Every structure is written in structure tokens, then in C-alpha cells.
Amino acid sequence: MQVDVPQPQFFRVDSSKPGALRLAERPGQTVQAQFKRSASELSADSGTLRLEYEFNNTKLGLPAGLSGTLEVTSTGVGNSVTVPANTITYRDGGATLVVVDNNNALQFRKVSLGKNMATTVEVVQGLSSADRVIVNSNALLKPGQVVEVAQASKG
């Protein structure tokens, strides 16, 4: 089987451990698959690298061309954070987040993005889970500007 993996995740795949193939048509069943090889080149069109896994299909009778999901084990290298898609702005040609620092001042931070999941985006570099991110930032915000942080109401 072949799976295209975004560049940031490629370096996190633990190829020494098997993957688990799941098909919607076979609920509750997983097929163990061993890493075989990876493409030697990043696809310029998609920003992904192709990985190939193999599994024993003699008894399963799975025809070629099926679509499914492949769960792979992470090496634990790297820490990504998922943020709402409306926190990302594009300034000076790159993805930027507006972050509130410990002094409640705004920082404009360049970040590297991973997977885009329509309503959320994975940030693979430049942000930690402890950072406070502005949602729906606008052009009136300036670096160093001090803001008042409102506490979310409970209830």
C-alpha cells in the first residue's frame, strides 16, 4: 500500500514498527503492515513523501485500489500543536500567529504548518501548547501592543 505523508510528519514515522491498515468496509478489523520503503524525493505538487507498506493479503482477498487509513507509530520527535484555522494569518510571505506573551503584549510569530484539516491547522514549529493565541486577528493589531486578556466565563 502507498501513503503520502506531509514533510513534517515524515520525520516522525517510526518505520521499525508496523502500521495498522483499517478499511471502512471491514469494521473492527486491522491489517498489520510492515514499512518497505519511501520515495527518494518530496513531491513539489503536494509537499508529501510517498511511503510504501506491505502486508500479507493471501487470506484477506483484498483487491488492489481500495482506500483506507493507515495508522503508524510516531517516533515522538517534534511537538505539534493544533489551532483553529482562523488564528493563522499570512504576513511577509509566511504563516504567522499572533501570540500574547507573559506581559500581555502581542508577538507576531512565524510558524511552520503541517496538516490542514479545514477548521483546524497543525503547527509543527514555532508554537507550544502553553502559548496564548489570538483568534481572528486583524490588521489593526501591532507587535508589542499590550492587550487585556478576558477570562472565559464558566457556565
Side-chain angles (χ1 to χ4, degrees):
M1 81 188 81
Q2 298 175 339
V3 60
D4 293 325
V5 178
Q7 179 180 337
Q9 283 75 31
F10 172 76
F11 295 101
R12 295 181 184 171
V13 174
D14 187 346
S15 59
S16 69
K17 301 218 169 88
L21 172 64
R22 291 186 177 85
L23 303 170
E25 297 81 6
R26 303 257 173 111
Q29 287 184 338
T30 58
V31 178
Q32 295 288 84
Q34 298 297 321
F35 176 81
K36 188 66 175 176
R37 64 182 151 258
S38 67
S40 59
E41 177 177 349
L42 179 74
S43 168
D45 294 337
S46 64
T48 61
L49 285 126
R50 179 156 290 173
L51 303 182
E52 290 185 14
Y53 281 76
E54 287 186 342
F55 61 93
N56 182 343
N57 192 26
T58 54
K59 293 183 183 177
L60 297 173
L62 297 177
L66 291 177
S67 294
T69 59
L70 180 68
E71 181 180 309
V72 296
T73 303
S74 171
T75 60
V77 175
N79 295 312
S80 63
V81 179
T82 302
V83 297
N86 60 354
T87 61
I88 306 292
T89 61
Y90 292 88
R91 296 176 187 249
D92 301 323
T96 304
L97 287 172
V98 181
V99 178
V100 181
D101 69 16
N102 291 336
N103 298 318
N104 290 342
L106 300 180
Q107 297 178 357
F108 287 65
R109 195 174 296 168
K110 293 283 185 202
V111 295
S112 297
L113 303 180
K115 186 187 286 187
N116 184 338
M117 300 161 274
T119 60
T120 60
V121 178
E122 178 186 31
V123 178
V124 296
Q125 187 175 21
L127 188 70
S128 79
S129 60
D131 287 322
R132 300 180 293 170
V133 178
I134 299 290
V135 177
N136 287 325
S137 64
N138 62 51
L140 299 176
L141 299 176
K142 304 289 181 219
Q145 178 181 348
V146 176
V147 295
E148 184 176 328
V149 178
Q151 298 298 317
S153 61
K154 296 180 182 178

